[in-house]
């Protein structure tokens, strides 16, 4: 199972699309690792600088409809090669969400109010997220505060996370 | 309780239910292109599993960057080409006979009512125009599809869009789908299928239905579906005539995928086609839609007619009809990319290519090209493009560029005027 804990990258915007996560011009790369420098390169978010803000983060927390647009699995891959295996949002575009679990990564939804609460309490505090896969709970700490949030994950999604992705699972079962 | 189209297709294809709400379904088609497939092929090789479940159900095309523009895209094409040969995938379309995936595969008759289709491309929803379940997936799902012929899906709920009355003259499927996306918003149909129904849809050609279903993903939908009817049968007849005694028999067979009268929908949205007028997007989200009237006079640098949304014969005929005997405005540039090689040849025969060229258009070979900002018309920072494609995302056609989505009629009229304007086909 991959690592789902660490420093948080806050992206305070809805509808972040996969073209913004990894622009089409990099889709010609043959190796996933070659994508690394281009993570979130075209993200339209005032104050965000991908060169400065992505490094050293392991968790993304964002708003609604994250990963909409193109089906490119390069979007999860570019996060993965930067050490980010967990995205927490109000909701996700279907293909992006499925791609994450297919890679053994996690795209987890929290209610709008919980996301709002996290942004209010922790954005800008160099916060960290500690993920407990047994209790299904995120503990977020930063700025001297710490709060826990329960999360729900589908049975099949969790199977994929524990099996490290869909290819091995499907090959063993079908 | 009755069933929707997607439920009926799922029921006919279920292989396993690994968890509540998740179905593993058997695939009738796995489509491949050279951007998302090579990494799947390379991963299969690395795993020692360079196999395919059934070469006759896999179809492949080089379409996104063709001809190759550099060594990397040449390598992607080569990986797909070599694999198709090695794995005996005979329906493989390369330069000279290729075309944009969602235009060429239907043109070859590969999609039938009741089929299940996946492809590593979000606009795979286009094929739902044939009353099929067709979903875009990522490379891992594609890889498993190639190897095992199955995909896992959360069984989708369905939103029914009921379009009453007919579209007025000069208002097209593109205008209708933009209006629908405006109504639903960019994630209003996430994890759901959309059934497009009603008089306006029933009156549409297959090409217009493909335009409609193509952009279902822009509202977040898994698939857009139109009902099988005589229009569907007529389109498919050259490919299915050997399977049925006559067209009525084909229609009767396909009708089993129509929704039950008491099918359960997550929501029903009603739209009055008669009240619509031509529209165009603003900003960077496809649900931000204004009437062309409100946007008239917006200056553009480039006009682009093509893509899996609007690069088909019907689209080229409409645009050429407006451009005939006219010239594009000074100071702007215009590009047309017929969506497939057959469309290109037909347009040549009908004299449409000459009309475009005489009007000052650059006519390219069939390719995705500028649609995703990879070649053939990438925008410079600050430039504005009037485009018949499907995405106006920030940077989509080139970093710092702005894309206004519109119908081929509006794009052609805009090319002539040099600013966004209604086409002469729209009289109101
Ligand atoms: S034409 Fe554009 S939207 Fe369609 S498949 Fe090609 S890149 Fe994707």
């Amino acid at each position: 199972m991959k690592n789902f804990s660490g420093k948080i990258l806050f992206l305070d915007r809805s509808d972040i699309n996969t073209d913004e996560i990894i622009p089409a011009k990099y889709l010609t790369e043959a190796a996933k690792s070659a994508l690394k420098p281009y993570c979130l390169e075209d993200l339209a978010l005032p104050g965000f600088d991908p060169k400065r803000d992505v490094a050293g983060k392991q968790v993304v927390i964002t708003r609604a409809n994250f990963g909409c647009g193109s089906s490119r699995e390069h979007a999860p891959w570019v996060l993965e090669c930067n050490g980010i295996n967990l995205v927490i949002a109000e909701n996700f575009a279907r293909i992006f969400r499925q791609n994450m679990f297919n890679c053994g990564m996690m795209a987890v939804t929290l209610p709008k109010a919980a996301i709002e609460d996290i942004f209010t309490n922790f954005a800008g505090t160099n916060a960290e997220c500690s993920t407990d896969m047994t209790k299904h709970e995120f503990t977020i700490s930063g700025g001297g505060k710490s709060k826990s949030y329960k999360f729900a994950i589908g049975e099949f999604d969790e199977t994929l996370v524990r099996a490290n992705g869909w290819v091995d699972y499907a090959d063993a079962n079908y | 309780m009755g069933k929707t189209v997607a439920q009926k297709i799922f029921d006919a294809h279920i292989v396993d239910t690994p968890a509540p709400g998740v179905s593993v379904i058997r695939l009738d088609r796995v489509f491949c292109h050279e951007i998302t497939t090579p990494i799947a092929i390379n991963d299969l090789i690395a795993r020692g599993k360079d196999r395919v479940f059934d070469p006759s159900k896999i179809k492949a095309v080089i379409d996104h960057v063709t001809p190759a523009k550099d060594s990397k895209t040449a390598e992607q094409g080569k990986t797909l080409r070599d694999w198709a040969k090695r794995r005996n995938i005979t329906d493989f379309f390369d330069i000279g006979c290729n075309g944009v995936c969602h235009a060429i595969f239907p043109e070859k008759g590969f999609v039938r009512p009741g089929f299940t289709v996946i492809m590593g491309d979000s606009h795979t929803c286009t094929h739902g125009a044939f009353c099929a379940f067709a979903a875009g997936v990522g490379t891992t799902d594609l890889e498993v599809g190639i190897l095992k012929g199955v995909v896992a899906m959360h069984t989708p709920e369905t939103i029914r869009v009921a379009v009453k009355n007919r579209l007025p003259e000069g208002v097209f499927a593109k205008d209708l789908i933009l209006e629908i996306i405006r109504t639903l918003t960019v994630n209003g149909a996430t994890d759901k299928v959309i059934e497009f129904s009603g008089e306006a849809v029933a009156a549409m050609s297959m090409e217009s239905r493909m335009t409609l279903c193509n952009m279902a993903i822009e509202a977040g939908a898994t698939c857009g579906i139109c009902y099988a009817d005589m229009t569907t049968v007529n389109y498919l007849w050259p490919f299915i005539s050997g399977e049925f005694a006559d067209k009525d028999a084909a229609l009767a067979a396909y009708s089993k995928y129509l929704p039950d009268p008491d099918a359960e929908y997550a929501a029903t949205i009603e739209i009055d086609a008669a009240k619509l007028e031509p529209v165009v997007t603003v900003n960077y989200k496809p649900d931000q839609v204004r009437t062309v009237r409100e946007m008239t006079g917006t200056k553009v640098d480039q006009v682009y007619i093509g893509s899996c949304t609007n690069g088909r014969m019907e689209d080229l005929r409409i645009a050429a009809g407006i451009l005939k005997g006219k010239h594009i405005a000074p100071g702007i540039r215009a590009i047309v990319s017929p969506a497939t090689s057959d469309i290109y040849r037909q347009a040549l025969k009908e004299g449409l290519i000459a009309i475009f060229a005489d009007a000052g258009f650059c006519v390219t070979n069939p390719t995705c090209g500028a649609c995703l900002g990879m070649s053939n018309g990438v925008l410079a920072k600050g430039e504005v493009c009037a485009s018949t494609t499907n995405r106006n995302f920030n940077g989509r056609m080139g970093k710092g560029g702005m894309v206004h989505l519109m119908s081929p009629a509006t794009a052609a009229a805009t090319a002539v005027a040099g600013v966004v304007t209604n086409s002469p086909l729209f009289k109101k």
Side-chain angles (χ1 to χ4, degrees):
Chain A
M1 208 163 51
K2 293 183 173 7
N3 169 51
F4 301 114
S5 298
K7 286 248 183 302
I8 300 167
L9 171 61
F10 288 96
L11 302 177
D12 193 1
R13 214 200 82 192
S14 287
D15 305 312
I16 293 175
N17 65 65
T18 54
D19 274 84
E20 294 179 288
I21 300 170
I22 181 78
K25 62 182 179 214
Y26 303 120
L27 304 187
T28 60
E29 295 296 344
K32 296 177 188 178
S33 56
L35 303 171
K36 190 173 175 191
Y38 314 119
C39 189
L40 292 162
E41 187 179 277
D42 275 356
L43 180 62
L45 181 64
F48 174 76
D49 175 1
K51 292 273 171 295
R52 178 194 66 204
D53 298 337
V54 173
K57 305 292 185 352
Q58 287 81 33
V59 176
V60 166
I61 300 188
T62 182
R63 301 284 182 173
N65 198 30
F66 187 79
C68 57
S70 154
S71 66
R72 61 191 69 162
E73 202 161 306
H74 305 67
W77 296 337
V78 75
L79 296 174
E80 186 183 18
C81 32
N82 280 282
I84 298 168
N85 295 316
L86 168 63
V87 182
I88 303 171
E90 276 172 41
N91 47 54
F92 295 90
R94 177 190 62 87
I95 304 175
F96 175 84
R97 186 190 162 286
Q98 192 61 48
N99 286 344
M100 289 285 283
F101 286 105
N102 282 348
C103 293
M105 301 161 75
M106 291 214 295
V108 180
T109 57
L110 285 181
K112 192 179 164 100
I115 295 281
E116 185 59 46
D117 191 63
I118 296 174
F119 270 97
T120 311
N121 283 293
F122 300 104
T125 68
N126 196 24
E128 284 189 40
C129 171
S130 164
T131 302
D132 187 327
M133 286 301 284
T134 319
K135 287 202 242 161
H136 288 168
E137 195 174 85
F138 301 125
T139 303
I140 308 214
S141 352
K145 278 189 270 190
S146 182
K147 285 183 89 167
S148 291
Y149 303 85
K150 283 269 182 212
F151 67 86
I153 178 171
E155 186 185 318
F156 188 62
D157 294 334
E158 187 157 0
T159 305
L160 294 181
V161 170
R162 294 189 185 276
N164 204 29
W166 168 231
V167 181
D168 285 344
Y169 180 89
D171 202 36
N173 289 278
Y174 303 109
Chain B
M1 195 42 98
K3 288 178 176 161
T4 63
V5 176
Q7 281 167 342
K8 288 190 173 184
I9 298 176
F10 265 58
D11 285 357
H13 289 81
I14 283 218
V15 173
D16 186 21
T17 314
V22 180
S23 306
V24 175
I25 56 169
R26 181 172 50 76
L27 294 168
D28 297 304
R29 291 285 180 265
V30 177
F31 293 153
C32 300
H33 66 54
E34 89 284 10
I35 298 293
T36 53
T37 316
I39 292 192
I41 295 168
N42 291 337
D43 194 63
L44 286 170
I45 294 171
R47 289 170 187 269
K49 291 174 185 166
D50 181 18
R51 303 185 300 269
V52 301
F53 81 108
D54 182 344
S56 71
K57 291 182 177 162
I58 299 177
K59 317 287 173 184
V61 66
I62 296 179
D63 63 351
H64 276 56
V65 189
T66 173
K69 69 183 167 91
D70 54 19
S71 309
K72 285 179 178 171
T73 50
E75 215 40 71
Q76 288 181 307
K78 182 171 163 35
T79 304
L80 194 72
R81 194 179 288 122
D82 290 352
W83 171 73
K85 194 158 180 231
R86 187 168 76 240
R87 303 273 53 109
N88 200 23
I89 293 157
T90 47
D91 288 317
F92 168 65
F93 303 94
D94 206 337
I95 192 156
C97 66
N98 62 355
V100 175
C101 48
H102 310 306
I104 195 167
F105 293 140
E107 184 184 277
K108 301 289 177 193
F110 292 153
V111 189
R112 310 285 167 77
F115 268 20
T116 53
V117 184
I118 62 162
M119 178 171 195
D121 194 285
S122 59
H123 292 101
T124 306
C125 50
T126 311
H127 307 280
F130 291 85
C131 202
F133 176 81
V137 296
T139 292
T140 301
D141 272 336
L142 178 71
E143 185 174 333
V144 170
I146 287 169
L147 184 64
K148 295 284 171 180
V150 297
V151 72
M153 285 269 164
H154 291 265
T155 319
E157 295 186 315
T158 298
I159 294 175
R160 193 167 68 102
V161 174
V163 191
K164 71 172 180 195
N165 297 320
R166 302 257 181 137
L167 289 169
E169 212 186 325
V171 181
F172 298 93
K174 181 62 158 286
D175 300 303
L176 172 59
I177 187 62
L178 287 172
E179 172 63 17
I180 292 169
I181 295 162
R182 187 186 70 75
T183 309
L184 284 170
T185 77
V186 287
N187 63 346
T190 299
D191 293 323
K192 298 189 173 64
V193 164
I194 302 175
E195 281 181 15
F196 296 106
S197 66
E199 191 187 341
V201 183
M204 277 182 192
S205 66
M206 284 314 295
E207 296 180 317
S208 288
R209 291 180 193 180
M210 284 189 255
T211 301
L212 200 60
C213 292
N214 176 269
M215 291 190 73
I217 181 74
E218 260 48 76
T222 307
C223 183
I225 286 179
C226 295
Y227 302 148
D229 59 9
M230 222 12 133
T231 305
T232 323
V233 172
N234 282 330
Y235 184 99
L236 289 173
W237 192 244
F239 311 102
I240 60 171
S241 56
E243 295 171 32
F244 298 100
D246 55 27
K247 290 181 177 177
D248 288 329
L251 184 57
Y254 294 152
S255 295
K256 68 169 178 267
Y257 299 108
L258 297 181
D260 291 326
D262 58 344
E264 198 180 352
Y265 292 98
T268 295
I269 283 154
E270 290 187 6
I271 290 192
D272 185 352
K275 293 213 174 103
L276 298 185
E277 59 178 291
V279 292
V280 51
T281 62
V282 288
N283 300 326
Y284 301 118
K285 277 167 42 173
D287 62 359
Q288 303 195 348
V289 176
R290 304 265 187 286
T291 62
V292 172
R293 273 187 301 123
E294 290 172 280
M295 293 287 286
T296 297
T298 307
K299 233 191 112 4
V300 305
D301 301 291
Q302 176 170 298
V303 173
Y304 185 79
I305 298 177
S307 86
C308 58
T309 321
N310 281 125
R312 296 185 182 80
M313 221 37 242
E314 178 180 284
D315 304 315
L316 300 194
R317 286 186 187 127
I318 290 165
I322 291 164
L323 292 165
K324 191 166 186 179
K326 304 232 164 58
H327 201 276
I328 63 171
I332 76 157
R333 51 188 198 272
I335 300 166
V336 58
S337 297
T340 71
S341 301
D342 281 357
I343 292 170
Y344 191 109
R345 280 191 284 269
Q346 182 63 27
L348 205 55
K349 261 191 226 156
E350 292 183 17
L352 309 186
I353 299 292
I355 293 173
F356 282 112
D358 290 346
F361 269 68
C362 161
V363 184
T364 81
N365 63 297
T367 178
C368 295
C371 170
L372 81 168
M374 283 185 90
S375 61
N376 282 10
V378 178
L379 301 176
K381 196 171 161 204
E383 286 189 326
V384 177
C385 183
S387 179
T388 69
T389 55
N390 48 37
R391 286 200 171 129
N392 56 347
F393 296 163
N394 179 34
R396 173 75 178 180
M397 285 179 100
K399 199 169 187 144
M402 168 64 75
V403 180
H404 296 295
L405 305 175
M406 58 185 71
S407 74
T410 309
T414 297
V416 173
V419 292
V420 171
T421 191
N422 258 318
S423 87
L425 302 177
F426 178 66
K427 302 179 182 82
K428 201 169 170 183

